[in-house]
Amino acid sequence: IERAAVVKPEQRQVKRVVAEIVGKNAIIIDEDADLDEAVPAILHSALGFQGQKCSACSRLIVLDAVHDRLVGRLVDAAKGWKLGPSEDPSHQMGALIDGNALAKFREYATIAKEEGHLAFEADTGSDQNLAPITIVAGIKATHRIAREEVFGPLLAVICVEDFDEALEVANSTEYALTGGLFSRTPSHLERAKSEFEVGNLYLNRGITGALVGRQAFGGAAMSGVGSKAGGPDYLLQFMNPKVVTENTMRRGFAPDADMD
C-alpha cells in the first residue's frame, strides 16, 4: 500500500491494492465439541498442503475441560499421516515449497519447543527435506509461536478456562483471516458469528478450502485489503465506475450532419 501511494511520472490513475495478506488462524474447540468431527478437520486445516495455505489453522484454542482428551486424540490421528514425496498418493504430506521455507519452519519449531512442550513430532526418516508434523502444547497467547505466521505444519495448542477467554485469545493477534469453532452450544455459535473477528468464519467444519461463489474469501484487520475474492463485487475493484447524467428535457433538436 505504501509503494502504491507513490505517484510515478506520467501516472494517470491512483494505483489500487487488492491483497489478501497473512493470517494466524485459530480453531476454538468448545467443551461440548464433537471430537469425531473436530480432530480430522483440525488436521486437514493445519496440515493440508503442508500447512502452507494462508487459511491454515496454526492456533488451536481448547477449553480446559476437553483439552487433554482432544490433544491425545489429535496426536494419535497425526501419527497416521504418512510423509514423503508428493507424487506418491499414499503420502498425506510432502515437502515445503523450498529451502527457505524449510529453514524458517525449523527456526519456529525450535522457538515453539522452548515456549511450550512438544506433544508430537513426526518421524521424517532420512529425508532431510521434509518438515515434520509438529504439535506443541502449553502455548500462551503472548508467545511468538501464537502471533507470528510460520507457513508450515506447526500447530500451537492453547488451553483456556472458558468460552469468553477462548474468544479473547482468538482475537488477540493483529491478523484476522480465517477462524473456526467446534461447538454444540447454539449461543456460542451465535456469539462467534458476531464476536470472532475474522474475514471468513467456519462453524463445525475445517477452515480451509473456500469455494468461489459460495465463500467469498478475504481477511479483516491486518489480513487483507479490498473486497473478497470470489464474491459478486470482486471484479468491480478492477474497473472505473462512470456516471453519465443527461438532461433529456432540453428544447430543440439538432440533426447529425449526414442525415437527410
Side-chain angles (χ1 to χ4, degrees):
I1 292 173
E2 182 179 355
R3 291 173 61 188
V6 178
V7 178
K8 301 294 184 179
E10 301 184 7
Q11 179 179 328
R12 298 187 60 193
Q13 181 169 310
V14 175
K15 286 175 283 188
R16 304 168 185 171
V17 176
V18 179
E20 172 268 299
I21 315 168
V22 296
K24 193 65 185 175
N25 313 303
I27 294 178
I28 297 174
I29 305 298
D30 206 349
E31 59 187 1
D32 62 356
D34 184 338
L35 300 190
D36 289 336
E37 288 188 351
V39 169
I42 293 166
L43 289 178
H44 283 284
S45 298
L47 307 177
F49 294 88
Q50 294 74 245
Q52 295 173 115
K53 277 180 171 281
C54 55
S55 56
C57 173
S58 56
R59 294 183 298 152
L60 188 61
I61 303 169
V62 189
L63 269 70
D64 180 65
V66 73
H67 175 273
D68 292 348
R69 187 155 51 98
L70 181 279
V71 172
R73 290 190 58 174
L74 191 67
V75 168
D76 287 342
K79 291 177 180 178
W81 278 56
K82 295 179 65 177
L83 282 61
S86 298
E87 57 267 25
D88 185 341
S90 69
H91 296 147
Q92 282 89 4
M93 218 180 78
L96 297 184
I97 189 66
D98 58 27
N100 289 334
L102 181 59
K104 179 181 178 181
F105 169 85
R106 288 173 173 165
E107 176 185 350
Y108 273 101
T110 299
I111 293 171
K113 295 170 190 176
E114 293 171 350
E115 292 182 327
H117 60 268
L118 184 65
F120 174 70
E121 186 174 59
D123 182 10
T124 59
S126 59
D127 193 340
Q128 296 300 308
N129 296 314
L130 291 175
I133 297 170
T134 305
I135 301 173
V136 181
I139 298 298
K140 304 298 183 183
T142 54
H143 286 162
R144 286 184 62 188
I145 203 62
R147 306 188 68 83
E148 301 176 14
E149 188 179 50
V150 178
F151 244 53
L154 177 55
L155 182 61
V157 183
I158 304 170
C159 183
V160 295
E161 291 186 2
D162 53 35
F163 191 68
D164 288 337
E165 185 182 0
L167 285 174
E168 180 181 351
V169 171
N171 294 331
S172 65
T173 69
E174 59 187 331
Y175 305 116
L177 187 55
T178 65
L181 166 64
F182 280 85
S183 176
R184 287 188 273 202
T185 302
S187 62
H188 287 180
L189 295 172
E190 290 303 313
R191 283 189 62 189
K193 292 176 184 178
S194 60
E195 298 179 37
F196 200 155
E197 299 168 358
V198 290
N200 285 65
L201 177 65
Y202 300 90
L203 303 177
N204 290 314
R205 53 148 286 172
I207 66 171
T208 60
L211 298 177
V212 172
R214 292 178 60 183
Q215 294 118 4
F217 186 78
M222 295 297 288
S223 284
V225 58
S227 184
K228 290 177 176 292
D233 56 346
Y234 186 70
L235 182 61
L236 297 178
Q237 299 173 110
F238 301 92
M239 303 175 70
N240 289 318
K242 181 178 182 179
V243 176
V244 177
T245 304
E246 178 183 357
N247 175 15
T248 59
M249 298 299 292
R250 67 187 183 280
R251 301 182 186 280
F253 177 70
D256 291 338
D258 59 351
M259 291 182 64
D260 292 334

